[in-house]
Amino acid sequence: MTEEKVQSNFIRTIIAKDLESEKHDGKVTTRFPPEPNGYLHIGHAKSICLNFGLANENEKGTCNLRFDDTNPEKENIEYINAIKSDVEWLGFNWEDREFYSSDYFEKLYNFATQLIKNGKAYVCSLNADDMREYRGTLTKPGKPSPDRDKSIEDNIELFESMRAGEFEEGTHTLRAKIDMSSSNMNLRDPAIYRIKKVHHHRTGDKWCIYPMYDFTHCLSDSIENITHSICTLEFEDHRPLYDWFLDELKTECHPQQIEFARLNLEYTVMSKRKLMKLVEKNLVEGWNDPRMPTISGMRRRGYSPASIRNFCERIGVGKKESRIEFGMLEEKVREDLNENAKRVSCILKPLKVIIENLPEDEVIELSTQNHPQKPEMGERIVPFSRELYIERDDFMIDPPKKFFRLGPGKEVRLRFAFFLKCIDYKTDENGEVTELRCTYDPETLGGKAPDGRKVKGTIHWVSAKHALTARVNLYGMLFSDINPEESGDFLENLNPESIEVLDDCKIEPSIKDAEKETTYQFERQGYFCIDSNDDANGLIFNRTVSLRDTWAKIKKG
RNA sequence: UGGGGCGUCGACAAGCGGUAAGUCACAAGGUUUUGAUCCUUGCAUUCAGAGGUUCGAAUCCUCUCGCCCCAGCCA
């Protein structure tokens, strides 16, 4: 499909200026720096598209994949692998530039030592509670730690002891010596190393002290010669600290931190912590549940990488916090799938039709296009026989005037086949329609009647004896509230009807050997994707998104 | 109430002193063997508000209002 037209945004503007002034020799080096403590979601996709996109649209642009793995308590290898596969699936390539903050631990340690030697860092033995106490509040300045003026020699020795594992967790930290009365809380002597006697997924037991984000991030960026370090708005207050470390350590490369507004989407949550809660409490099937806003969930649901990329381009990048309408996302998937998905017939809620003027054993093989506007997508054969299934919703005993489908005595066109006229119907004891008796007109193959009579409606169908039975999962919004986290516990806003399982769907036989993750358009219904978790016996489809439904709108009034 | 940000159509979003792009939504028509797609048209005399500078302001200045973020040894 055609990629979205790029639109200007403030970061593109900054880069264009830098390019013009040759600030970085024409280079644009960005990085996508996830912490491997959960799965990636659509919010990360925005960041991925931004960082890789900016690199890709510039001649000398590259984007690194860097795992920000400085907190071994929460991080693990499962997440690393999941993240890599998600980024790759989205269509981005980091080539050999797969980095880890933990690769820089030794360098970082040396930088910290340097800071101590410059009199700009000290080992503090305040415990967590006291440190908070000393820090002051938003309106009251903090007071200096009793350890603030220890000698450089003492600090060096203490820091070495920290590394050597001579202290217990929580007893000591290394702190930057900046300004305890700064109006920016981040500058009130922030901790830069803490003791954690925890096994790290990459460095093993080599370290028992781990650097904090603020210290690690700017230096990792600098080590990798990042030109533009793009992060989200909440780090705006951290920028002075980012710059402070690099200035104090006089690094050759001093990247520019630029902050943008993270993505919020209607009817969902966008925090790893909250998504993790849904997974842990088994409120969803897992990180890749098709209702989840995770990349793996959207993938399983049938969203294409291109549709996600286009969505991210379309919503733009700015500093204004916003919440995107879900329809924006849905429209981007439809746009892509309309182009690329093969059409197929599937009856979601079957109603049996007997064609009285077609002999029991006769099978008419009809050739139909896989895509109405794209003949290059080929054709397939679909069998037509005496017993069909049509959609229950396509028949009404007492249809309103504008109902173009079937009713007693009414005639419709069967898609790609013949005209069909309903002459009778049967009901059960509850008045529920159980079967339709119809006749077909053999002269109408091709969609038109020789006598010139017209039918308004065209419905889809499937030959009963040839049909495969499939299960179809219909998904709705995961939450019933536009902003689930606004009031109280977000879990209370879960939508109890976020999934509807249809067990007896009838689908045409042509999809028999289709592979997992293939997306089809079910004619007149929507886009559906073969579940990738589908184990063995049975076809399972996930509805990616429905087709636009003008009739539903009319019906609602 | 200290500091840092942000306010342009219902939802996003360009614009950066020369007289309001685009997308989604919505509405009305047309084409159509998917009530789909596609096409055409309409949809901000106005840029949070009030003053000011200017021949000219969404863009510059001043004040006011509203919203978000910051007091982890998380990132």
Side-chain angles (χ1 to χ4, degrees):
Chain A
M1 82 180 285
T2 49
E3 296 279 321
E4 282 295 305
K5 238 185 250 156
V6 301
Q7 62 182 359
S8 176
N9 64 50
F10 79 104
I11 302 180
R12 283 197 172 107
T13 304
I14 291 172
I15 289 179
K17 270 187 199 142
D18 290 346
L19 251 23
E20 208 185 304
S21 67
E22 294 178 1
K23 189 172 173 188
H24 309 288
D25 288 339
K27 283 191 188 133
V28 177
T29 311
T30 56
R31 96 272 92 114
F32 172 61
E35 183 190 9
N37 67 345
Y39 279 60
L40 262 25
H41 52 62
I42 180 79
H44 294 105
K46 179 178 178 183
S47 172
I48 294 167
C49 291
L50 220 204
N51 280 294
F52 279 94
L54 254 11
N56 292 164
E57 68 199 34
N58 285 288
E59 214 163 314
K60 289 159 86 177
T62 50
C63 178
N64 302 343
L65 174 61
R66 180 169 75 232
F67 290 96
D68 211 347
D69 55 350
T70 58
N71 187 357
E73 260 164 339
K74 297 181 178 172
E75 299 154 3
N76 70 52
I77 191 98
E78 177 203 341
Y79 297 131
I80 290 179
N81 293 142
I83 289 167
K84 288 195 321 196
S85 106
D86 285 345
V87 175
E88 203 166 25
W89 177 79
L90 260 186
F92 297 103
N93 185 354
W94 57 90
E95 295 168 331
D96 58 348
R97 299 180 307 279
E98 178 177 327
F99 303 130
Y100 295 80
S101 297
S102 56
D103 290 345
Y104 311 136
F105 279 174
E106 196 64 48
K107 283 182 182 162
L108 259 13
Y109 180 84
N110 291 332
F111 277 126
T113 305
Q114 189 56 242
L115 233 34
I116 297 172
K117 286 181 179 158
N118 295 161
K120 297 293 185 176
Y122 61 97
V123 172
C124 174
S125 42
L126 249 26
N127 64 35
D129 285 343
D130 289 338
M131 201 190 280
R132 187 178 319 119
E133 181 80 33
Y134 275 67
R135 188 157 33 227
T137 69
L138 295 179
T139 46
K140 273 182 220 122
K143 53 184 180 182
S145 157
D147 302 310
R148 202 169 197 262
D149 292 317
K150 266 194 306 240
S151 72
I152 289 172
E153 294 70 36
D154 285 355
N155 283 133
I156 291 284
E157 203 182 308
L158 250 13
F159 190 44
E160 279 169 0
S161 300
M162 276 173 70
R163 177 178 186 170
E166 289 166 26
F167 301 124
E168 291 309 306
E169 283 187 22
T171 59
H172 298 267
T173 53
L174 182 71
R175 291 228 252 168
K177 192 194 278 190
I178 309 180
D179 178 4
M180 284 311 288
S181 61
S182 172
S183 50
N184 181 343
M185 300 296 286
N186 296 120
L187 265 21
R188 318 244 264 229
D189 289 12
I192 59 183
Y193 265 92
R194 76 292 215 189
I195 299 169
K196 268 185 198 291
K197 301 197 169 173
V198 175
H199 185 86
H200 186 282
H201 53 97
R202 297 200 97 228
T203 58
D205 296 314
K206 184 171 179 201
W207 296 89
C208 62
I209 56 172
Y210 292 96
M212 302 283 290
Y213 166 85
D214 286 304
F215 183 68
T216 308
H217 206 86
C218 56
L219 288 163
S220 301
D221 281 346
S222 175
I223 289 166
E224 293 177 18
N225 285 309
I226 298 301
T227 55
H228 305 270
S229 177
I230 299 166
C231 62
T232 43
L233 252 29
E234 67 270 29
F235 293 104
E236 244 162 348
D237 286 346
H238 295 239
R239 187 169 1 110
L241 187 51
Y242 185 105
D243 291 331
W244 188 88
F245 285 124
L246 297 182
D247 288 341
E248 288 299 331
L249 290 164
K250 298 185 170 58
T251 58
E252 256 175 66
C253 167
H254 189 138
Q256 178 184 5
Q257 177 179 301
I258 303 169
E259 310 85 11
F260 73 99
R262 57 159 20 106
L263 167 66
N264 292 296
L265 237 199
E266 286 182 342
Y267 300 103
T268 194
V269 293
M270 211 66 87
S271 107
K272 279 193 271 190
R273 213 194 92 249
K274 291 192 171 101
L275 295 174
M276 174 110 55
K277 213 164 179 179
L278 293 172
V279 174
E280 281 170 349
K281 290 180 174 269
N282 287 316
L283 296 166
V284 292
E285 272 182 45
W287 286 99
N288 71 342
D289 185 298
R291 292 166 294 180
M292 291 281 269
T294 50
I295 294 178
S296 54
M298 295 174 76
R299 174 179 184 175
R300 194 172 151 204
R301 171 112 170 218
Y303 280 77
S304 61
S307 66
I308 295 174
R309 278 186 258 122
N310 286 162
F311 170 73
C312 290
E313 179 55 39
R314 204 62 251 160
I315 57 173
V317 177
K319 302 193 71 150
K320 187 176 85 177
E321 295 187 55
S322 59
R323 182 169 304 278
I324 311 287
E325 286 182 345
F326 207 82
M328 188 79 101
L329 215 207
E330 291 190 319
E331 206 31 47
K332 287 295 145 194
V333 217
R334 290 196 189 103
E335 186 180 285
D336 184 30
L337 265 20
N338 176 50
E339 283 288 305
N340 301 311
K342 284 187 180 171
R343 267 116 251 232
V344 109
S345 290
C346 177
I347 305 300
L348 265 22
K349 295 173 183 164
L351 173 61
K352 177 75 74 72
V353 169
I354 312 285
I355 302 176
E356 298 193 331
N357 58 338
L358 191 63
E360 198 104 22
D361 52 358
E362 188 165 342
V363 175
I364 303 172
E365 294 201 324
L366 300 169
S367 183
T368 77
Q369 287 192 91
N370 288 327
H371 187 116
Q373 279 83 233
K374 299 170 95 178
E376 66 274 22
M377 283 177 75
E379 300 194 335
R380 67 185 188 284
I381 300 294
V382 174
F384 181 82
S385 66
R386 181 179 165 88
E387 295 192 7
L388 309 178
Y389 289 114
I390 65 163
E391 212 67 64
R392 298 203 81 88
D393 287 351
D394 286 340
F395 176 83
M396 285 179 90
I397 297 176
D398 190 17
K401 223 182 277 144
K402 286 222 167 151
F403 188 76
F404 305 148
R405 286 108 98 149
L406 264 189
K410 289 191 72 172
E411 189 169 40
V412 293
R413 177 164 36 229
L414 293 176
R415 183 115 166 105
F416 294 123
F418 309 91
F419 282 14
L420 182 83
K421 188 170 188 174
C422 174
I423 53 175
D424 196 11
Y425 62 93
K426 292 185 177 163
T427 56
D428 62 15
E429 61 276 16
N430 301 318
E432 196 77 19
V433 179
T434 53
E435 187 183 295
L436 261 37
R437 310 296 294 197
C438 299
T439 56
Y440 86 113
D441 181 349
E443 300 300 312
T444 54
L445 184 61
K448 288 191 173 57
D451 63 7
R453 72 182 194 281
K454 300 260 192 288
V455 292
K456 184 76 178 157
T458 299
I459 65 172
H460 59 113
W461 54 276
V462 129
S463 166
K465 74 174 162 196
H466 302 277
L468 272 28
T469 298
R471 175 177 139 190
V472 172
N473 299 133
L474 264 26
Y475 296 107
M477 298 299 168
L478 223 203
F479 293 90
S480 37
D481 203 302
I482 279 196
N483 178 6
E485 35 209 334
E486 195 169 41
S487 56
D489 186 0
F490 75 107
L491 293 177
E492 283 171 19
N493 291 321
L494 272 170
N495 175 11
E497 286 157 15
S498 59
I499 179 169
E500 182 184 352
V501 178
L502 268 23
D503 273 314
D504 190 33
C505 304
K506 302 297 183 183
I507 188 164
E508 63 170 71
S510 72
I511 53 96
K512 184 164 45 94
D513 300 316
E515 286 177 29
K516 289 177 178 179
E517 286 196 1
T518 312
T519 300
Y520 292 98
Q521 184 196 97
F522 288 178
E523 295 254 3
R524 301 208 306 136
Q525 297 285 175
Y527 298 95
F528 296 76
C529 177
I530 300 189
D531 195 309
S532 47
N533 277 20
D534 183 3
D535 33 54
N537 53 344
L539 280 165
I540 300 179
F541 286 89
N542 296 321
R543 183 171 69 189
T544 312
V545 63
S546 65
L547 248 32
R548 283 168 79 181
D549 189 351
T550 314
W551 169 241
K553 245 187 256 172
I554 296 169
K555 229 175 11 179
K556 261 197 209 159

